[in-house]
Amino acid sequence: TGDTGTLPLAAIDIDGGSDIGAALTTSDLIIVDDGAGGTNRKATIQRLLTFVQANIDDPTALAIALG
């Protein structure tokens, strides 16, 4: 609101969908603040999974957690 370039969270309605319990897929999109610099960017859930897998100390623990 105003000159801040921000929008209250309650005002965000991306596509009218509100299925909070829907299953996520690797092709679903997320929005991230790129480097906390205020530039928003979209990425797929697959990119998040790839990031976690590349940065986990124990890949076996991740495999067990994922089933």
Side-chain angles (χ1 to χ4, degrees):
T1 53
D3 320 33
T4 64
T6 63
L7 183 67
L9 184 59
I12 297 176
D13 184 10
I14 294 174
D15 68 357
S18 59
D19 189 356
I20 301 297
L24 296 174
T25 68
T26 56
S27 62
D28 286 340
L29 297 176
I30 57 174
I31 299 173
V32 297
D33 184 353
D34 189 12
T39 302
N40 293 325
R41 163 172 78 140
K42 65 183 177 181
T44 64
I45 296 285
Q46 178 61 49
R47 290 192 63 178
L48 178 61
L49 179 60
T50 300
F51 172 80
V52 170
Q53 287 173 333
N55 290 282
I56 194 162
D57 291 335
D58 184 358
T60 303
L62 178 61
I64 291 170
L66 293 175

